[in-house]
Amino acid sequence: METKTNMKQAAAVNKVPKYSMKSRRVFKNIGLYLFMGMLAFIFLFPLVWMLVSSLKSDVQIFRDMKTVHVFIPPLYDSVSAYFANYTQALERVDLLKYTGNSLIYTMGIIAFGLIVNSMAGYALARMDFPFKNFWMAIIIATIIIPAESIFLPLYVLVHNFGWVNTYTGLIVPFIANAFMIFLFRQFFIGFPKELEEAARIDGCTPIGIFFRIIIPLSKPVFATVAIFTFVNHWNDFLWPLVVANDEKMRTIQIGLQYFFAQQPVQWGQVMAALTIATIPMLLIFGFLQRYYVEGLTHTGSKN
């Protein structure tokens, strides 16, 4: 009886017209794309509003706030009028200098951090040494410590070294990062051991294996860590404010505060300055995004 019932069900499924199944797939895809488009609009709304508002005067910004014109750029007779807020913002505050300081600060942490954290992650994933699990537990435990709680002793240490108002004082304290070490470790655990064994047979040292084999095959995790590190430290405010009190060493996030120091606030200039501060993050994510998802997927491997 069960066999006959299954045969009847299969026959009923076969009788379903192909065009109806195709229509269902089409409607399903349309619904999926509409949903994804709505999510994209929600996430991009602040960015688009900021960009369009940077081209408007304060009067236009507040006038269009509750209308659809909030997403529509204004129409001017000259090209220079579109960039008036940018010109005035750059004249008011040396944003290019502050942006350069932020780039040196973040890129320095990324460059040294990728080397230090990747080597630590590789050692924890592939090498055997005493108390390895204990040290891994200690590293993971430090993730829960708020950074603000160690700023005072960290500043005293930096001050005693004479690193105040230097790039060294900005960069060195944040080179080693427990979370980044964990990401590298999780990625390296998934590497096939046969690659390392073949390299050892050929006489390659552990350092040679790491730099010649592991790093070239680890672009996804390096890109993921670079993006995380850039976003985290590009938006830093408290530490650069404490350590870089010289105007020549200030970063872009501190420079943005100048636009709120004088009243009334020129919101068009604020939006222009925020756009300038956002461009580097968009660029680095645009260049590395193809490795981003792959890196996150691999770092989910289990030991």
Side-chain angles (χ1 to χ4, degrees), residues 85-106:
N85 287 327
Y86 291 88
T87 303
Q88 294 169 8
L90 292 172
E91 291 175 352
R92 184 175 174 184
V93 178
D94 194 358
L95 290 175
L96 296 181
K97 174 64 176 176
Y98 295 157
T99 302
N101 289 338
S102 289
L103 286 174
I104 295 174
Y105 169 49
T106 53

Side-chain angles (χ1 to χ4, degrees), residues 217-230:
L217 297 176
S218 304
K219 292 179 182 179
V221 69
F222 275 85
T224 302
V225 170
I227 291 174
F228 280 158
T229 305
F230 189 91

Side-chain angles (χ1 to χ4, degrees), residues 58 92 259-267 269-270:
D58 288 4
R92 184 175 174 184
F259 292 95
F260 300 94
Q262 298 178 355
Q263 298 296 328
V265 177
Q266 303 296 322
W267 291 104
Q269 296 180 25
V270 170

